[in-house]
Amino acid sequence: MMFRCDAVVELRTLAKMWNYVDGGPMLHHSLIVVTTTFPDRESAKTVASILVDTRLAACVHVGEDVVSWYRWNETVHVDHEVVVTIKAIPEHHDALYQCVCNHHPYETPQWVVVQASTSADYGAWMRHETRS
């Protein structure tokens, strides 16, 4: 594949703007984004408050109601749930999971974790808000 010289210069300029180095993004700070669900808004808000108050999470979003289809104990269920998104630093993962499990009404809460990177400013804010 051939590139025009000005196209290569433009790609390099865009890569610098987007903080790409050697084909990959520069990681300023890492965080984990956890998604879980609750059977009702009140239990979701209670756990969100505990996580922020104890500094295990920098931010917790209690989202909209969703309808979930899933199989539990060999039976298909359709239930209304509330989606909760938790943003925290990776070092808090184990304590975060334990805290959610201790206060969650489900026997086996959904626990989906994605590792991500942030801008330097947001990462610094997260570290400050989750300090011990």
Side-chain angles (χ1 to χ4, degrees):
M1 175 182 284
M2 291 186 58
F3 288 101
R4 293 186 3 228
C5 185
D6 58 343
V8 171
V9 171
E10 180 64 22
L11 287 173
R12 287 184 182 145
T13 302
L14 288 172
K16 286 179 185 176
M17 275 179 28
W18 294 332
N19 289 325
Y20 272 71
V21 176
D22 297 326
M26 283 181 16
L27 300 178
H28 293 289
H29 291 274
S30 64
L31 77 146
I32 55 173
V33 180
V34 179
T35 304
T36 188
T37 56
F38 286 81
D40 57 78
R41 188 161 297 286
E42 286 310 307
S43 61
K45 287 167 53 177
T46 297
V47 172
S49 180
I50 292 168
L51 295 176
V52 173
D53 288 346
T54 60
R55 295 187 179 270
L56 286 174
C59 179
V60 179
H61 296 274
V62 176
E64 297 299 317
D65 296 350
V66 297
V67 179
S68 297
W69 278 260
Y70 59 96
R71 184 178 306 277
W72 183 255
N73 294 329
E74 299 304 317
T75 303
V76 174
H77 296 263
V78 179
D79 290 319
H80 290 270
E81 295 184 299
V82 176
V83 176
V84 173
T85 304
I86 304 162
K87 291 182 265 181
I89 59 174
E91 300 90 298
H92 286 184
H93 174 269
D94 293 348
L96 187 71
Y97 179 69
Q98 192 61 52
C99 184
V100 169
C101 288
N102 288 344
H103 295 93
H104 204 293
Y106 291 163
E107 181 182 337
T108 306
Q110 172 185 308
W111 192 257
V112 178
V113 180
V114 176
Q115 187 140 16
S117 60
T118 72
S119 67
D121 291 342
Y122 189 81
W125 170 80
M126 283 193 62
R127 292 241 169 241
H128 177 76
E129 294 307 321
T130 56
R131 69 192 182 284
S132 299

